[in-house]
Amino acid sequence: ASFLSSSSVPSAKPVLSVSNATGANLRSSPSVFSSLEAVLDDKTSVTVLAVREDGWLHVEVGGISGFVLADLLSPQLSYDKE
């Protein structure tokens, strides 16, 4: 149906916050052995791009994408409308 064109439906990306007093490491790939892209402070909001079954989330923050362990993020979900 033409009324369901993608241009008329806004995308909403889930947003979570770091919930760890010591922050969270943003990694280049989903491994604790991968290179460190950034250290995210507690309460930093990240946009979730993908959820992996191995406990890692593909996220974006400040124009940088990477991977964070899901256990270090708050279970409180909000949405960023684009």
Side-chain angles (χ1 to χ4, degrees):
S2 63
F3 63 89
L4 291 178
S5 71
S6 61
S7 63
S8 66
V9 179
S11 66
K13 294 182 181 176
V15 175
L16 295 172
S17 296
V18 174
S19 180
N20 186 32
T22 59
N25 292 329
L26 182 69
R27 300 277 181 182
S28 61
S29 62
S31 166
V32 295
F33 302 108
S34 67
S35 62
L36 185 62
E37 298 295 317
V39 177
L40 307 177
D41 293 330
D42 188 36
K43 300 189 183 358
T44 299
S45 293
V46 299
T47 300
V48 179
L49 303 175
V51 178
R52 296 174 46 95
E53 292 182 8
D54 60 3
W56 290 87
L57 298 177
H58 186 200
V59 301
E60 182 177 42
V61 57
I64 301 170
S65 68
F67 295 85
V68 175
L69 280 170
D71 290 346
L72 301 178
L73 301 179
S74 167
Q76 299 298 318
L77 185 64
S78 63
Y79 287 93
D80 178 20
K81 295 180 183 174
E82 287 189 355

